[in-house]
Amino acid sequence: NAGVTQTPKFQVLKTGQSMTLQCAQDMNHEYMSWYRQDPGMGLRLIHYSVGAGITDQGEVPNGYNVSRSTTEDFPLRLLSAAPSQTSVYFCASSYSYEGTEAFFGQGTRLTVV
Amino acid sequence: GNSVTQMEGPVTLSEEAFLTINCTYTATGYPSLFWYVQYPGEGLQLLLKATKADDKGSNKGFEATYRKETTSFHLEKGSVQVSDSAVYFCALSAGGTSYGKLTFGQGTILTVHP
């Protein structure tokens, strides 16, 4: 059982470049989300989705786009990378009921130079 | 809005010492509360949870009790091991249509020495 799979694990971008971080889950979860982890700030929600075709913004959405065409996949797009987007990115998925456990991918460490 | 405040770290302990990591929260309604753990180089995984007041979550010797009167969910373990070295995150889910949406504390780095 793969769980939540993120690719790539590491990435270096130049300022202004674009890229897509991939996330896939095989647990048929309705809810998927993207977080960024920065030192001393915990994890902050970027975007989330409650099902295929439905997405919404989280706490720090600027500079990122998402789409959800299938239940399984939830890619995160960086439109024009900036050094402030240097971070570790985590994708998570869960069912949508009280007390549900979120399952996390192993993360993508992104450096923008 | 919702928020979670965690004890600032890092925390360094000797093996078999008692551990407490404080966590307090602000939320409307009746959130579910979680502790997640992140081992080096890995993603987060659920350690324990509680969904209503006075519930106690427990796992691997760790415990936390949902205290609505003090809006707290402190993590405790009676005797830590070197293998407990990790980053610990307190989090809440506010419910309603946002059951999967988590608000995290800052994280506490725990290092346990032999």
Side-chain angles (χ1 to χ4, degrees):
Chain A
N1 205 353
V4 179
T5 303
Q6 279 184 246
T7 56
K9 284 188 167 44
F10 301 94
Q11 183 70 49
V12 178
L13 287 179
K14 294 184 179 178
T15 298
Q17 285 185 316
S18 63
M19 79 160 294
T20 299
L21 279 62
Q22 301 291 344
C23 176
Q25 54 95 4
D26 61 359
M27 296 171 282
N28 204 30
H29 287 162
E30 306 97 344
Y31 196 96
M32 296 186 74
S33 50
W34 278 100
Y35 295 86
R36 57 177 289 171
Q37 182 181 19
D38 300 295
M41 303 188 73
L43 277 75
R44 293 180 292 168
L45 183 64
I46 304 171
H47 285 286
Y48 65 97
S49 168
V50 299
I54 307 170
T55 64
D56 206 348
Q57 297 181 352
E59 182 184 353
V60 288
N62 292 341
Y64 307 96
N65 266 0
V66 292
S67 60
R68 184 125 178 244
S69 55
T70 66
T71 300
E72 295 78 19
D73 300 300
F74 191 46
L76 178 72
R77 297 181 187 84
L78 279 70
L79 308 173
S80 177
S84 60
Q85 294 178 303
T86 294
S87 187
V88 182
Y89 292 84
F90 287 99
C91 179
S93 74
S94 69
Y95 293 114
S96 189
Y97 59 79
E98 183 180 13
T100 186
E101 172 184 358
F103 292 82
F104 287 81
Q106 291 213 316
T108 296
R109 185 174 292 276
L110 175 68
T111 302
V112 182
V113 298
Chain B
N2 302 322
S3 67
V4 176
T5 301
Q6 258 182 261
M7 166 181 183
E8 296 282 344
V11 175
T12 302
L13 296 173
S14 297
E15 208 164 25
E16 300 184 3
F18 184 84
L19 169 70
T20 299
I21 301 177
N22 291 336
C23 171
T24 57
Y25 68 90
T26 302
T28 54
Y30 300 91
S32 295
L33 301 174
F34 305 85
W35 278 99
Y36 282 85
V37 60
Q38 183 182 29
Y39 298 104
E42 298 185 9
L44 281 71
Q45 55 187 273
L46 180 67
L47 180 60
L48 53 84
K49 68 179 184 183
T51 59
K52 58 182 186 294
D54 301 325
D55 266 3
K56 178 186 283 188
S58 61
N59 186 26
K60 299 181 182 180
F62 291 89
E63 292 183 340
T65 301
Y66 189 142
R67 301 286 187 203
K68 189 162 177 63
E69 64 276 15
T70 55
T71 61
S72 65
F73 193 55
H74 305 321
L75 183 68
E76 296 182 338
K77 186 174 186 182
S79 175
V80 294
Q81 306 300 313
V82 172
S83 57
D84 294 327
S85 297
V87 184
Y88 292 81
F89 292 94
C90 185
L92 69 80
S93 170
T97 58
S98 302
Y99 285 129
K101 200 169 165 184
L102 293 168
T103 299
F104 285 90
Q106 309 93 310
T108 300
I109 300 171
L110 171 66
T111 303
V112 180
H113 292 300

